[in-house]
């Protein structure tokens, strides 16, 4: 067995999968991720509940769960980790299947999908796999469809703790690199967003304020060096590419 396969086989039991909630119910299990995923859903996924949405690298099914709660019915997910899929099924998320992304994509009809989710996936791929995967994503998306990705941010203040926090990671990205990647594949537009603390209460509001104040000197230094004013300094970033 290859070293990467060994790591994926024990992704949960090795402590790598960041699932710390109470496994008695999906609501408890995914509670810590709920504000952020609900925010992404409301901002970047159209309200048409009939959209066909696929979650590539779905893990234990967090996004699938919140999509279901929001009323989306035409959803599916795939992940290479058998332990994470077992978790998903224990939580009642039968839309999650174990398998290879490549096989899943190859079996999906052209221009049949409205939204492709790639959360914490692209960093696991080699450069060759990156282009192969995104070429297939482009093929299966309908015109106007969206690919939503979440990746380690190489320009972030602490981005390298994500890049090197998992032995299966191969890459980190900057907004410029994502623009280069998706434009080369053929996507018409790509927008990148900072992963600021999501405000959903007093404590998270305080975290957001500390983040804003703490990053200000770094933004000023970068502005002084580059003459630019827009930077993404979070350790991860979100990006949305439109076909």
């Amino acid at each position: 067995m290859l070293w990467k396969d060994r790591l994926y086989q024990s992704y949960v039991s090795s402590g790598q999968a960041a699932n710390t909630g109470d496994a008695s119910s999906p609501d408890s299990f995914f509670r810590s991720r709920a504000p952020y995923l609900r925010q992404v859903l409301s901002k970047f996924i159209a309200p048409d509940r009939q959209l066909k949405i696929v979650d590539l690298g779905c893990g234990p099914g967090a996004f699938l769960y919140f999509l279901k709660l929001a009323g989306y019915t035409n959803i599916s997910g795939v992940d290479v980790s058998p332990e994470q899929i077992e978790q998903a099924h224990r939580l009642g998320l039968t839309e999650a299947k174990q398998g290879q992304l490549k096989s899943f994509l190859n079996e999906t009809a052209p221009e049949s999908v409205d939204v492709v989710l790639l959360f914490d996936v692209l960093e696991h791929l080699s450069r060759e796999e990156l282009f192969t995967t995104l070429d297939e994503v482009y093929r299966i998306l309908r015109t106007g469809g969206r690919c939503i990705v979440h990746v380690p941010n190489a320009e972030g203040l602490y981005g390298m703790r994500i890049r090197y926090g998992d032995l299966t990671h191969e890459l980190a990205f900057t907004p410029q690199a994502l623009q280069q990647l998706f434009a080369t594949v053929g996507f018409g537009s790509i927008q990148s967003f900072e992963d600021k603390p999501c405000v959903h209460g007093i404590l998270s509001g305080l975290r957001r304020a500390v983040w804003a104040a703490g990053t200000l000197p770094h933004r000023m230094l970068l502005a002084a060096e580059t003459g630019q004013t827009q930077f993404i300094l979070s350790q991860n970033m979100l990006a949305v590419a439109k076909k």
Side-chain angles (χ1 to χ4, degrees):
M1 185 183 297
L2 297 175
W3 64 268
K4 189 174 278 191
D5 292 332
R6 292 179 63 186
L7 290 168
Y8 286 140
Q9 288 289 328
S10 58
Y11 212 65
V12 175
S13 55
S14 67
Q16 184 57 49
N19 302 312
T20 58
D22 178 0
S24 61
S25 73
D27 185 58
S28 299
F29 193 68
F30 299 127
R31 181 170 291 128
S32 64
R33 302 190 64 188
Y36 178 75
L37 293 182
R38 285 187 171 125
Q39 175 181 271
V40 172
L41 194 159
S42 64
K43 282 187 175 182
F44 300 112
I45 298 180
D48 180 0
R49 270 38 182 184
Q50 301 306 310
L51 291 175
K52 184 173 181 179
I53 303 171
V54 298
D55 188 355
L56 303 178
C58 65
F63 226 127
L64 295 173
Y65 175 64
F66 290 108
L67 285 167
K68 287 180 71 173
L69 283 184
Y72 294 89
T73 56
N74 194 7
I75 60 176
S76 60
V78 62
D79 199 281
V80 70
S81 166
E83 289 187 335
Q84 295 213 84
I85 295 301
E86 287 172 12
Q87 281 186 334
H89 291 176
R90 284 197 296 269
L91 294 167
L93 298 166
T94 56
E95 296 86 358
K97 306 295 183 184
Q98 197 271 328
Q100 297 287 338
L101 266 61
K102 181 179 180 180
S103 299
F104 182 92
L105 287 165
N106 288 344
E107 294 167 4
T108 303
E111 299 188 358
S112 63
V113 177
D114 298 291
V115 180
V116 172
L117 302 171
L118 279 163
F119 266 61
D120 309 320
V121 173
L122 297 186
E123 61 268 26
H124 296 265
L125 307 179
S126 68
R127 285 174 174 80
E128 186 66 33
E129 291 169 331
L130 195 62
F131 279 92
T132 300
T133 299
L134 289 180
D135 281 339
E136 283 297 291
V137 168
Y138 187 87
R139 180 184 66 82
I140 69 172
L141 277 173
R142 295 189 176 102
T143 300
R146 290 183 168 191
C147 178
I148 305 175
V149 305
H150 189 260
V151 293
N153 177 24
E155 124 178 333
L157 295 175
Y158 302 104
M160 291 304 96
R161 69 184 295 271
I162 304 298
R163 163 64 179 88
Y164 292 104
D166 186 335
L167 290 174
T168 64
H169 286 178
E170 302 280 351
L171 299 166
F173 301 85
T174 66
Q176 184 177 2
L178 287 179
Q179 171 66 38
Q180 179 186 26
L181 171 63
F182 279 94
T184 301
V185 169
F187 283 85
S189 67
I190 171 71
Q191 291 180 287
S192 297
F193 302 90
E194 194 167 74
D195 251 3
K196 301 174 183 178
C198 179
V199 178
H200 54 94
I202 295 174
L203 182 58
S204 58
L206 178 60
R207 290 174 52 220
R208 178 70 165 266
V210 171
W211 168 258
T215 57
L216 181 59
H218 299 278
R219 298 183 197 280
M220 293 175 67
L221 284 173
L222 280 168
E225 179 183 354
T226 65
Q228 301 173 12
T229 58
Q230 299 298 316
F231 307 103
I232 296 179
L233 300 183
S234 50
Q235 59 186 357
N236 289 298
M237 64 178 164
L238 183 82
V240 180
K242 185 176 180 180
K243 181 174 178 179

